[in-house]
Amino acid sequence: MILGIGTDLANIERIQGTLNRFGDRFRNRVFTEVEQAKSERRRDVAGTYAKRWAAKEACSKALGTGLRMGISWRDMAVSNLRTGQPVMHVTGWAAERLAAMTPAGHEAIIHVTLTDDHPWAQAFVVIEARPLAG
C-alpha cells in the first residue's frame, strides 16, 4: 500500500547561487558527508546538489510533514546503489515519523527517482508499506 507521495522541482541556478553565497555553511546544514562527496565528484556539482535538495523536499512531503515538526535536512539522505539507482535513507525524526506511519506487520520502502534538465532538477518519492514475509 502507498503511505505517501512527494515531488519537488528545484532550480539548479538557485542552488548554485546558494552554494556561491554560503558555501560550506549551506552544504553542512543540508547535506550529509556522503551526499557532499558524491556531489563534489560530479561535473555538474550544482545539479547533483539540486537533485538531492529536491529529493529531501519530496521525501518530507511523502512523510506528510514538509520540513517542519522536527525533521532536519540531514535526517534524509540520498546515496546510490552500484547500479546508479538512488536510494533514500532516513534517520532521526524522519525515521521516527516513517515508523509511526507504517502499519503493524509491514515494512516501509522508500522509492526515489531523480532527474535534471538544466536549469531544473526534479525528484519524486513514493513510500510503500509491504507486508512482512513470514
Side-chain angles (χ1 to χ4, degrees), residues 93-109:
W93 200 91
E96 291 173 21
R97 170 70 181 148
L98 182 61
M101 64 191 284
T102 304
H106 290 74
E107 65 177 335
I109 310 295

Side-chain angles (χ1 to χ4, degrees), residues 37-105:
K38 171 80 171 183
S39 298
E40 296 296 328
R41 283 193 311 265
R42 301 298 299 265
R43 188 181 64 198
D44 183 9
V45 172
T48 305
Y49 277 121
K51 285 186 280 190
R52 278 147 181 75
W53 172 279
K56 292 167 185 276
E57 287 274 8
C59 185
S60 72
K61 293 171 186 175
L63 288 168
T65 63
L67 284 160
R68 57 186 174 86
M69 297 176 61
I71 290 182
S72 163
W73 286 103
R74 292 172 56 105
D75 283 349
M76 299 165 288
V78 177
S79 65
N80 296 84
L81 300 177
R82 286 180 114 85
T83 61
Q85 177 185 350
V87 179
M88 178 66 69
H89 306 275
V90 293
T91 58
W93 200 91
E96 291 173 21
R97 170 70 181 148
L98 182 61
M101 64 191 284
T102 304

